Amino acid sequence: MRHRITHSLLRQTLRSSAALLVSAMLCQGVSAQTLTVGVQGLPDTLDTGFSSFATLNLAFQTMDPLAMRDDAGTIGPGLAQSWQAIDPLTWRFKLRAGVKFHDGQPFTAEDVKFTLDYILAPATVYGSKRRITQIASTTVIDPLTVEIKTKAPFPTLINGLSDIPIEPKHYVEKVGRAGMAKAPMGTGPFKFAKWVPADRYELTANPDYWGGAPKIKRLTLRQIPEASTRVASLVAGETQIIEEVPIDLLPQVEQSSGVGVAAVESTVGLILTFDTRKPPFDDVRVRRALNFAVNKQLILDRMLRGKGSLLQGQMLTSNTFGFNPKLKPIAYDPKQARALLAEAGLGKGFATSITTRSGKYLSDVDIANAVAGMFLEVGVKTGVNIVEQGVFSKMAKASDMGPIHAVGWYSLGDADFATVWFTQKSGRAYWKNDEFEKLFLAARSTVDKTEREKAYHRMMEIMYAEVPAIYLYGLPSIYGVSKRLKHFSPPSDKLLRLHQAEIAAN
């Protein structure tokens, strides 16, 4: 059963935690050169190939991609200082000179080829692989020039490369994949120091970083799954950044001295995905019935207090290229829900469950509980299975997330990045539609924006008709931040960029 905390008890908890921590600080001293981030969950692996933003968030502290997004989602130079299309199938990248890995070895085009060849090898399982599978070959022209050829015109190549950390060829060949996952190394702003699964990830500043030495000397990402505990740690000064502040705890942050709230609109669409491989969710009537059973507007108004937006009967948010404006939210209609369940032979109801993480997304557990209550009104008894990030990761690897699971898919402004997860080769799709698969490939194989948009609009129509998920909300990301922290802005993609962050002295 979920433990609920009253506002008065929470305030008492925050005051007690703050007093204890201040006492500890006075005894031990706290360095303004250490930045501690309270995250909802840490992945159970440091393998860069695992498909989650939690993993990338760690990887990009120690490694860099060829092209980099900023906090607003704009893509610019990274390890590649420039690139150009030589012809519709050929891209040439000029790499930065003088960049070194953490062990002092130079970064070259060989590292780019090594990384991309490894990812694209048929036997390699890599989370972001589907974002670059149109690459046919990678060729080293000289130590600072690499050429990438694609199988077809590939409009999202640069976007895809922005999620690929470049690995050091010499180091991986020396320590192996297991060694790289145990002690990752790259060209990034921070160096790996310590990894304690399900607890913390510790790093030290890279003084020779090509983008300028970080202002902070030490960085720690701490796993703090419970939202109220994250808030308490921020108010007490134990953390300087916390992610995913729930709506009901915003007043506590806003009313506490020395801390504040930083929010940003994201491109994440929160959905409840059905496992359509198994009954009863192999029946589209059941999936549609449960879409009708959810009063999405009521949850948005009361639980999210209007923050965020209703998904318009599709997984894409309205600020994403490929969003279909002709579709509307699936209406709340419990009478129709009960009729469809009866038609599917489930008039007496059935039992199911929703798997979710606590604090991974804004008010995720509260939303799951509210949906479960609405399901009950149409005869569907629903348990809410709350798991930590590591457990969720293992469930995803095993392709067994339970009958329904909550997940937020980031589009990063382009439908390709979200829709890829509903293709069979993504490894995360529990639903299959041949027309959807063909349209996805066609949309990423042309530079004609009109044709791409047409394909995505049709894909959203298919998802609207087939309802492989319940389309809930476009969510903002809300961070709690110490007012002593300078040069930090909340990232729209949840990937923390901290090398310019600075903590002012008291």
Side-chain angles (χ1 to χ4, degrees):
M1 181 178 292
R2 185 176 176 235
H3 181 63
R4 297 186 181 278
I5 299 177
T6 64
H7 286 303
S8 61
L9 179 58
L10 176 61
R11 285 193 292 269
Q12 182 179 353
T13 300
L14 294 177
R15 286 196 296 267
S16 298
S17 297
L20 287 172
L21 189 70
V22 168
S23 176
M25 288 177 177
L26 291 174
C27 293
Q28 300 175 7
V30 175
S31 170
Q33 301 303 310
T34 299
L35 172 59
T36 303
V37 182
V39 299
Q40 177 274 334
L42 293 170
D44 64 347
T45 177
L46 298 182
D47 184 348
T48 54
F50 187 71
S51 60
S52 80
F53 273 80
T55 304
L56 274 183
N57 194 32
L58 302 190
F60 281 153
Q61 307 308 322
T62 57
M63 291 177 272
D64 297 310
L66 289 176
M68 287 181 164
R69 286 191 303 274
D70 62 16
D71 288 327
T74 303
I75 294 180
L79 289 177
Q81 64 180 13
S82 65
W83 51 83
Q84 62 175 327
I86 305 301
D87 60 51
L89 303 181
T90 308
W91 292 76
R92 183 164 291 179
F93 294 78
K94 297 299 292 184
L95 308 181
R96 290 184 185 276
V99 176
K100 293 183 178 181
F101 288 102
H102 296 157
D103 62 358
Q105 292 296 309
F107 158 72
T108 73
E110 293 288 351
D111 300 297
V112 177
K113 177 176 172 57
F114 172 79
T115 301
L116 297 182
D117 284 354
Y118 163 70
I119 293 171
L120 294 168
T124 301
V125 177
Y126 196 97
S128 299
K129 186 173 187 171
R130 284 292 286 169
R131 294 181 178 176
I132 60 169
T133 49
Q134 292 294 78
I135 293 177
S137 65
T138 304
T139 303
V140 173
I141 304 302
D142 61 48
L144 294 177
T145 308
V146 66
E147 194 169 89
I148 293 177
K149 287 190 175 292
T150 61
K151 301 171 185 176
F154 193 12
T156 60
L157 173 64
I158 306 303
N159 289 17
L161 290 173
S162 70
D163 275 341
I164 304 296
I166 300 300
E167 301 182 2
K169 179 176 184 289
H170 70 282
Y171 180 70
V172 177
E173 289 179 340
K174 177 182 177 181
V175 303
R177 287 287 156 193
M180 179 66 174
K182 184 178 180 181
M185 196 258 282
T187 60
F190 296 97
K191 297 181 179 182
F192 170 81
K194 186 178 182 180
W195 163 240
V196 182
D199 181 48
R200 65 185 56 229
Y201 187 57
E202 298 180 359
L203 306 108
T204 59
N206 174 13
D208 301 315
Y209 184 52
W210 60 265
K215 301 289 195 307
I216 55 175
K217 302 306 180 186
R218 288 175 294 279
L219 170 64
T220 298
L221 283 80
R222 281 185 50 204
Q223 176 168 299
I224 309 176
E226 181 58 44
S228 60
T229 308
R230 284 200 303 279
V231 170
S233 75
L234 177 72
V235 173
E238 186 180 10
T239 55
Q240 290 74 51
I241 303 172
I242 59 170
E243 66 176 13
E244 300 302 339
V245 180
I247 295 295
D248 62 339
L249 297 186
L250 284 178
Q252 278 70 36
V253 177
E254 293 167 340
Q255 294 166 18
S256 298
S257 63
V259 299
V261 172
V264 63
E265 180 182 14
S266 74
T267 59
V268 65
L270 181 67
I271 63 177
L272 295 176
T273 302
F274 296 113
D275 189 340
T276 63
R277 302 167 301 181
K278 305 171 186 176
F281 298 125
D282 56 343
D283 189 328
V284 68
R285 293 171 297 183
V286 178
R287 304 195 298 268
R288 187 171 292 118
L290 292 195
N291 265 275
F292 282 133
V294 180
N295 189 336
K296 306 173 187 69
Q297 187 65 54
L298 181 65
I299 295 174
L300 179 67
D301 292 342
R302 294 191 179 177
M303 288 189 170
L304 297 179
R305 299 184 187 179
K307 295 186 183 296
S309 59
L310 288 180
L311 291 180
Q312 304 292 298
Q314 57 196 295
M315 69 184 301
L316 300 179
T317 54
S318 61
N319 56 354
T320 296
F321 174 77
F323 167 80
N324 188 334
K326 294 182 180 180
L327 301 178
K328 303 301 176 187
I330 297 175
Y332 172 57
D333 190 340
K335 181 178 180 180
Q336 179 70 359
R338 285 189 285 267
L340 282 171
L341 290 174
E343 185 181 320
L346 295 169
K348 294 183 179 181
F350 63 94
T352 190
S353 66
I354 299 172
T355 300
T356 188
R357 288 159 283 183
S358 177
K360 176 64 177 178
Y361 308 107
L362 187 64
S363 299
D364 44 14
V365 172
D366 288 337
I367 291 171
N369 282 324
V371 169
M374 293 170 180
F375 283 177
L376 185 59
E377 293 181 4
V378 298
V380 179
K381 297 179 181 179
T382 308
V384 176
N385 182 25
I386 305 170
V387 300
E388 292 189 351
Q389 177 66 44
V391 175
F392 192 89
S393 298
K394 291 176 181 177
M395 294 173 75
K397 278 186 176 180
S399 192
D400 185 5
M401 309 293 288
I404 308 171
H405 70 275
V407 66
W409 292 125
Y410 280 82
S411 70
L412 304 177
D414 192 293
D416 180 90
F417 275 29
T419 56
V420 64
W421 298 108
F422 276 87
T423 64
Q424 291 299 299
K425 289 187 178 180
S426 73
R428 290 289 296 273
Y430 302 149
W431 162 79
K432 185 176 186 297
N433 181 280
D434 290 339
E435 184 184 1
F436 184 93
E437 297 271 347
K438 291 176 182 177
L439 287 165
F440 172 80
L441 187 58
R444 63 158 37 183
S445 301
T446 177
V447 295
D448 187 322
K449 291 188 68 174
T450 300
E451 287 300 312
R452 293 187 70 220
E453 188 172 55
K454 180 180 178 181
Y456 292 131
H457 284 182
R458 175 56 187 152
M459 289 164 71
M460 293 304 100
E461 289 173 356
I462 293 170
M463 294 189 80
Y464 183 90
E466 289 288 314
V467 285
I470 297 176
Y471 312 113
L472 295 174
Y473 309 105
L475 296 178
S477 286
I478 302 179
Y479 291 82
V481 182
S482 167
K483 291 181 179 178
R484 292 174 56 209
L485 184 67
K486 309 299 180 184
H487 311 302
F488 167 79
S489 58
S492 61
D493 59 4
K494 294 192 72 173
L495 301 181
L496 294 169
R497 297 165 182 88
L498 300 170
H499 86 274
Q500 294 182 340
E502 186 174 3
I503 303 174
N506 281 327

